[in-house]
């Protein structure tokens, strides 16, 4: 070994540097590429290797439902797609790539809608964009007849999205292709329509979907109505279902990538650098929406604050809370979150969420609430991004669109569709509403065990308590019991009269004597 290398005057770092110079430069480039690839793979949360190696375990759809759920056993159990696996497009095997690709391209089908403008009672204008089954099959835009029985799917878009969004075109085209009529209810001020009132939509605004469904039910009374909500639209849909309960005209519904709890979502989107990038992108979209309606926002909100907003929370503070009259941003998020309404949902509801959703965190999913409600089935996948779920080598289709169509078609052919419960009130000739009365007949008397008896009352007839009990009971055994009870009451009454008669005689005799005494004294 050379003595110059072993010289004590040489520094260890000099020796290390000389050794590193002996390594070829191509090896350094390869190592740098490898390190960058690992960093890039983890930063964008690629899962290509996991899908390839653990295809059987990681790609399975997880279903959450109540063990006694008739929705699952009667409908979802027959859905092959929901019991299968979701495998992402290999070159889009990242939630961030899927989400970005959906918003910048998405490969949507090419078609055109038929527009209908609906005017709400407060003066607001809502653009209803239609795509019917005939539009897809033969390209002819035929008007829907009033007696048409074709199911209608009402779609509620996400934040700042309208009918031109790629994912909504995928949904509308494929749903109409399966034989349905689709109508996208654009939010106020979107879809190229101006804001014509002082009300704007927000994450908890359910009035528009309520009036739109009422309008569709009136215009097409023979067509069953279903609803599909996406992102913020899914939050609005679930909140609406919880508010309406049994009164909604919807037969079934699907919620895709709902944020569920807006307060948790607000904390999540500011947590890391990647989430902050999404926060900034959505804020720019909201500011663009505000610029389209600058005259209204200048008059109703803090326009300078809107222009300087750096996050969704800032925009909500300067715009949404002021227009919607919420005390604070947190108050708006709490009141608008759909989580608190999950327990009141009375309509068959399928909820689909991706656990790697970069916008709507899995931390906000109400697992226990969905499991407790027999009308809800929650389907989660390990991957999918936000509203993306691209599948196939060409990324030409969205998995959640196929799963939604299969669920709705299976539900529409089953007996598990929801039936609207309406409280009817009779009115007199004067037009004044009358309160229901048991003295007006005939009416149905429902007992605790579910038996029903028809009873006819006359206004001039009064019934005793026993007669009322007889009319409420059904079956010969119950009538015999009432008759025996009636006989025993008469027997007790007879005994009371017989035993009490001597006492009554003594009382009359005593009073008669008391009145006769003053007469005798005077004589």
């Amino acid at each position: 070994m050379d003595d110059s290398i072993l010289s004590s005057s040489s520094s260890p770092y000099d020796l290390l540097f000389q050794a590193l110079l002996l390594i070829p430069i191509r090896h350094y480039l390869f190592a740098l590429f490898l390190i960058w690839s690992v960093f890039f793979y983890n930063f964008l949360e690629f899962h290509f290797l996991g899908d390839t190696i653990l295809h059987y375990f990681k790609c399975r759809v997880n279903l959450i439902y109540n063990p006694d759920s008739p929705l699952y056993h009667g409908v979802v159990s027959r859905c092959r797609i929901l019991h299968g696996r979701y495998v992402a497009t290999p070159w889009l095997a990242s939630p961030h790539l899927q989400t970005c690709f959906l918003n910048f391209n998405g490969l949507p089908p090419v078609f055109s809608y038929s527009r209908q403008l609906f005017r709400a009672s407060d003066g607001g204008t809502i653009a209803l964009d239609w795509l019917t089954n005939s539009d897809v099959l033969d390209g002819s835009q035929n008007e829907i007849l009033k007696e048409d029985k074709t199911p209608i799917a009402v779609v509620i878009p996400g934040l700042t999205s309208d009918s031109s969004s790629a994912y909504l075109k995928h949904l509308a085209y494929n749903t109409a292709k399966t034989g349905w009529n689709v109508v996208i209810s654009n939010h106020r001020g979107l879809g190229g329509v101006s804001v014509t009132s002082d009300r704007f939509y927000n994450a908890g605004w359910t009035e528009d979907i309520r009036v739109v469904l009422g309008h569709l039910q009136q215009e097409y009374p023979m067509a069953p109505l279903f609803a599909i909500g996406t992102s913020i639209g899914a939050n609005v849909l679930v909140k609406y279902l919880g508010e309406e309960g049994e009164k909604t005209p919807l037969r079934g519904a699907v919620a895709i990538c709902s944020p569920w709890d807006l307060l948790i979502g607000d904390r999540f989107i500011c947590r890391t650098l990647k989430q902050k990038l999404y926060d900034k992108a959505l804020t720019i979209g909201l500011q663009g929406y505000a610029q389209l309606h600058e005259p209204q926002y200048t008059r109703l909100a803090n326009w300078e604050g809107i222009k300087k907003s750096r996050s969704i929370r800032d925009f909500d503070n300067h715009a949404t809370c002021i227009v919607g009259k919420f005390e604070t941003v947190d108050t708006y998020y709490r009141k608008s979150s759909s989580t608190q309404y999950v327990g009141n949902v009375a309509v068959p509801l399928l909820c689909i969420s991706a656990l790697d959703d970069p916008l709507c965190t899995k931390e906000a999913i109400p697992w226990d609430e969905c499991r407790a409600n027999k009308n809800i089935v929650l389907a989660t996948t390990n991957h999918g991004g936000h509203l993306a779920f691209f599948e196939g080598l060409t990324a030409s289709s969205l998995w959640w669109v196929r799963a939604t169509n299969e669920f709705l078609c299976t539900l529409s052919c089953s007996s598990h569709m929801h039936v609207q419960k309406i409280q009817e009130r009779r009115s007199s000739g004067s037009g004044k509403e009358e309160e229901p009365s048991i003295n007006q007949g005939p009416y149905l008397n429902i007992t605790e065990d579910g038996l029903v008896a028809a009873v006819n009352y006359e206004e001039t007839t009064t019934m005793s308590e026993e007669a009322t009990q007889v009319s409420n009971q059904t079956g010969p055994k119950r009538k015999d019991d009432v008759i025996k009870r009636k006989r025993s009451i008469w027997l007790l009454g007879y005994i009371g009269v017989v035993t009490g008669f001597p006492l009554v005689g003594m009382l009359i005799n005593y009073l008669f004597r008391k009145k006769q005494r003053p007469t005798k004294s005077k004589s």
Side-chain angles (χ1 to χ4, degrees), residues 423-428 432-444 457:
Q423 296 180 352
E424 298 181 355
R425 289 188 177 181
R426 293 182 297 271
S427 58
S428 61
K432 182 179 179 181
E433 293 186 350
E434 297 180 356
E435 294 296 328
S437 173
I438 63 172
N439 293 326
Q440 297 175 359
Y443 78 108
L444 294 181
Y457 290 94

Side-chain angles (χ1 to χ4, degrees), residues 148-215:
D148 196 342
K149 298 182 179 180
T150 305
I152 298 177
V154 185
V155 182
I156 311 173
L159 187 68
T160 69
S161 297
D162 56 21
S163 57
S164 63
S165 300
Y167 69 92
L168 291 180
K169 285 192 171 183
H170 277 283
L171 175 62
Y173 183 83
N174 287 278
T175 305
K177 193 175 180 179
T178 59
W180 289 47
N181 295 328
V182 183
V183 55
I184 299 178
S185 178
N186 294 282
H187 297 298
R188 299 185 180 208
L190 290 173
V193 177
S194 301
V195 173
T196 56
S197 69
D198 289 345
R199 292 184 178 181
F200 293 83
Y201 81 97
N202 57 54
W205 178 254
T206 59
E207 188 59 30
D208 283 352
I209 185 61
R210 184 174 289 105
V211 297
V212 167
L213 290 175
H215 165 72

Side-chain angles (χ1 to χ4, degrees), residues 215-465:
H215 165 72
L216 295 176
Q217 186 184 27
Q218 182 178 4
E219 290 294 320
Y220 314 105
M222 305 299 294
L225 297 178
F226 298 82
I228 306 171
T230 58
S231 191
I232 288 296
N235 184 81
V236 173
L237 175 60
V238 176
K239 183 174 182 286
Y240 160 79
L241 294 176
E243 292 174 346
E244 292 295 297
E246 297 280 357
K247 298 183 295 182
T248 176
L250 290 176
R251 300 297 189 91
V254 182
I256 309 296
C257 295
S258 175
W260 296 108
D261 194 316
L262 302 180
L263 198 59
I264 295 178
D266 174 62
R267 305 296 189 265
F268 170 77
I269 206 168
C270 303
R271 188 174 298 173
T272 63
L273 175 61
K274 289 177 289 186
Q275 271 65 53
K276 290 180 180 179
L277 294 176
Y278 286 109
D279 189 15
K280 181 63 178 178
L282 291 174
T283 303
I284 294 174
L286 288 171
Q287 289 174 326
Y289 171 78
Q291 289 177 355
L292 293 175
H293 314 290
E294 181 178 350
Q296 289 87 350
Y297 272 111
T298 304
R299 179 169 51 87
L300 300 173
N302 183 2
W303 180 248
E304 293 299 324
I306 293 175
K307 293 192 298 182
K308 296 178 181 179
S309 297
R310 295 293 179 265
S311 65
I312 299 177
R313 186 180 183 86
D314 290 342
F315 181 89
D316 289 336
N317 183 42
H318 297 297
T320 310
C321 289
I322 299 177
V323 177
K325 295 179 175 58
F326 295 99
E327 294 83 358
T328 64
V329 178
D330 285 352
T331 302
Y332 160 58
Y333 290 155
R334 288 191 181 95
K335 290 185 177 181
S336 301
S337 296
S338 60
T339 304
Q340 56 189 322
Y341 296 91
V342 172
N344 298 329
V345 173
V347 172
L349 174 64
L350 172 66
C351 304
I352 298 178
S353 294
L355 300 183
D356 65 350
D357 193 321
L359 295 178
C360 302
T361 174
K362 61 183 179 181
E363 301 170 10
I365 298 177
W367 304 93
D368 293 338
E369 289 85 346
C370 291
R371 185 181 289 106
N373 193 327
K374 296 181 181 180
N375 299 308
I376 297 178
V377 172
L378 172 63
T380 61
T381 59
N382 289 326
H383 308 295
H386 186 68
L387 296 174
F389 296 83
F390 285 103
E391 59 182 356
L393 293 176
T394 60
S396 58
S397 64
L398 306 183
W399 175 86
W400 68 265
V401 172
R402 293 197 303 117
T404 297
N405 290 334
E406 183 186 39
F407 170 77
L408 291 180
C409 290
T410 306
L411 177 62
S412 63
C413 297
S414 71
S415 60
H416 297 280
M417 289 189 297
H418 171 258
V419 178
Q420 183 182 17
K421 292 186 177 180
I422 304 176
Q423 296 180 352
E424 298 181 355
R425 289 188 177 181
R426 293 182 297 271
S427 58
S428 61
S430 61
K432 182 179 179 181
E433 293 186 350
E434 297 180 356
E435 294 296 328
S437 173
I438 63 172
N439 293 326
Q440 297 175 359
Y443 78 108
L444 294 181
N445 197 346
I446 304 177
T447 61
E448 293 182 356
D449 58 356
L451 297 176
V452 180
V455 183
N456 192 6
Y457 290 94
E458 298 295 334
E459 293 184 2
T460 58
T461 303
T462 59
M463 299 184 64
S464 64
E465 184 177 356

